[in-house]
Amino acid sequence: MTTALTARAILLDMDGTIVNSDAVVERVWRTWATEHGLDADKVLKVVHGRQGHATMAALLPDRPMEQNHAENRVLLAQETAATDGVVPVAGAPAFMAAVAGLPHALVTSADLALATARMNAAGLPMPEVRVTAECVGASKPDPEGFLKGAAELGFTPEDCVAFEDSEAGITAARAAGMRVIGVGPRALAMAPDLHVPDLTHLAVTAHADGTIGLSVTA
């Protein structure tokens, strides 16, 4: 695994990557799992990185998608209202300040209301370019969101580095043709191009030629 990458644009997942929302996600999805007679620990292994209806489809494959979409709307409302315990990933405030003047976008499976609530709760600035659930027809691990993010920033996928924490997200970024910086323990199992336990271990350097240096620090 390398310790440095160079990019022209950065694509950021939200939950687990720059925002730690695990406490809320666990509360909401454990309740949902209990209501449906499912093993909550197994549910939590599937939920990260996907839109809720995609998680439900994976866990309850015989159920009509209309029901998944209806339940997902209920869960989204619950998650949007529940911001207790939502905090920035360690190092995220300084990282977001470092990329503020550089080409970057948010690519999240959350809808805009949920993304706004969580970014605000974590005290992080919302990127000007963002691809949320409403913007795509297919959830991660489909690459659509990352491809749209790169296109909106005006760069090819090969020019972009994606930041992700989940199997679904890393799979999506790779399918889009991007290199991946994995953040946190979930990402390590996917052998990303570069891995950091949190964002305190990453240095961002803006070069004169317009490239962005991303390197692991001690």
Side-chain angles (χ1 to χ4, degrees):
M1 191 181 299
T2 186
T3 58
L5 294 174
T6 301
R8 290 193 173 276
I10 294 169
L11 299 178
L12 300 169
D13 173 54
M14 183 181 70
D15 292 306
T17 302
I18 56 176
V19 172
N20 182 348
S21 58
D22 282 0
V24 174
V25 171
E26 182 159 333
R27 285 199 303 269
V28 169
W29 281 95
R30 279 191 181 279
T31 299
W32 182 86
T34 300
E35 290 172 349
H36 291 81
L38 299 173
D39 184 315
D41 290 334
K42 290 181 179 178
V43 169
L44 289 171
K45 289 180 181 177
V46 177
V47 68
H48 295 289
R50 304 172 189 264
Q51 291 183 39
H53 61 78
T55 294
M56 293 172 190
L59 293 166
L60 300 171
D62 297 328
R63 199 167 75 156
M65 279 306 295
E66 294 81 4
Q67 193 172 348
N68 295 337
H69 282 286
E71 280 194 10
N72 186 47
R73 287 192 288 272
V74 174
L75 262 61
L76 276 173
Q78 293 173 0
E79 291 188 85
T80 302
T83 54
D84 287 349
V86 176
V87 296
V89 166
F95 172 79
M96 293 302 287
V99 303
L102 305 174
H104 70 287
L106 189 72
V107 180
T108 176
S109 294
D111 66 8
L112 182 58
L114 180 58
T116 301
R118 287 188 174 164
M119 292 290 281
N120 287 342
L124 298 175
M126 177 66 83
E128 185 176 327
V129 177
R130 58 250 186 177
V131 180
T132 56
E134 302 96 330
C135 303
V136 297
S139 173
K140 299 173 185 176
D142 191 280
E144 182 184 358
F146 282 115
L147 292 171
K148 282 197 169 185
E152 287 196 33
L153 289 172
F155 292 93
T156 66
E158 294 77 16
D159 281 335
C160 299
V161 166
F163 283 67
E164 269 288 357
D165 73 301
S166 69
E167 179 179 354
I170 292 173
T171 300
R174 284 178 170 157
M178 297 175 184
R179 293 158 295 154
V180 182
I181 294 180
V183 181
R186 285 190 292 267
L188 189 55
M190 293 296 293
D193 298 283
L194 185 154
H195 179 265
V196 289
D198 59 49
L199 294 170
T200 64
H201 295 272
L202 191 81
V204 179
T205 306
H207 299 301
D209 64 356
T211 59
I212 305 164
L214 301 160
S215 57
V216 177
T217 61

